[in-house]
Amino acid sequence: MPYHKDNAAEAADGPLADLADLILNVGRLVRARTPEGSELVPLTETERQIMRVVDLYPGAAPSEIARRTRLQRTNVSTALRSLEDKGMISRTATTGRGIAVRPTDRAADNLRMLRAAWARELAGILGNDIDTVQQCTGLLSRLEQRFTADDSIERDPQ
């Protein structure tokens, strides 16, 4: 059933609210089990959000990163300076006064280590239920694409 304002109370107790709650909690639990080590570069929550967008949209301008993350431009600028200091991003000038932000090799290595740790953790819980994992991944990917869609791009109303 599509969401309407008249259904707000029902929606709060419905399956979409349950899904959002579970996504947030499972993400928190996965992050809590992420190993810490001298090889991993520790990131703040804001830095993690920004790195996700930089990985999805390499070459994005800081203003585009702010739009896609729904973060304040000043917070993005501060986090970009920190990420650059940590060796996670590079910023290069483009035409005019533009800046393109790209992940570095260090960022790619960091992400590989994190993904390997997450995969080990989930494999221990989910085993070989790959079909269900792929269905869930597809759903979450569609949600992420919609949530990170650039406001200047017309969204699909479905």
Side-chain angles (χ1 to χ4, degrees):
M1 170 188 338
Y3 172 79
H4 298 287
K5 286 186 181 183
D6 298 343
N7 300 344
E10 292 173 23
D13 293 327
L16 294 175
D18 291 344
L19 176 63
D21 187 45
L22 284 167
I23 289 169
L24 292 168
N25 196 44
V26 169
R28 183 188 60 78
L29 292 168
V30 168
R31 186 163 294 125
R33 290 181 176 214
T34 299
E36 294 182 10
S38 59
E39 296 177 11
L40 286 174
V41 178
L43 301 178
T44 67
E45 180 60 31
T46 299
E47 290 170 342
R48 281 191 289 270
Q49 286 180 291
I50 290 170
M51 284 307 305
R52 181 67 181 169
V53 169
V54 170
D55 285 331
L56 289 172
Y57 306 98
S63 58
E64 179 182 354
I65 294 168
R67 278 193 311 273
R68 289 183 186 277
T69 58
R70 310 301 196 261
L71 293 170
Q72 294 292 322
R73 180 71 167 87
T74 54
N75 294 342
V76 170
S77 293
T78 300
L80 287 174
R81 278 191 299 279
S82 175
L83 287 166
E84 194 168 36
D85 290 345
K86 292 176 180 181
M88 300 296 284
I89 62 158
S90 65
R91 294 191 269 188
T92 55
T94 60
T95 57
R97 293 183 47 185
I99 299 290
V101 180
R102 289 187 173 72
T104 62
D105 289 342
R106 184 174 193 195
D109 291 342
N110 200 61
L111 184 56
R112 257 190 306 280
M113 286 186 286
L114 284 171
R115 288 175 58 88
W118 296 335
R120 283 190 302 273
E121 193 67 38
L122 291 180
I125 296 168
L126 297 174
N128 292 327
D129 194 2
I130 298 303
D131 289 339
T132 302
V133 169
Q134 288 174 330
Q135 289 175 346
C136 185
T137 301
L139 171 65
L140 294 173
S141 293
R142 287 193 308 273
L143 285 170
E144 180 181 48
Q145 288 169 358
R146 296 284 177 96
F147 279 123
T148 61
D150 191 333
D151 289 337
S152 66
I153 300 170
E154 187 175 323
R155 293 188 187 160
D156 183 359
Q158 293 181 3

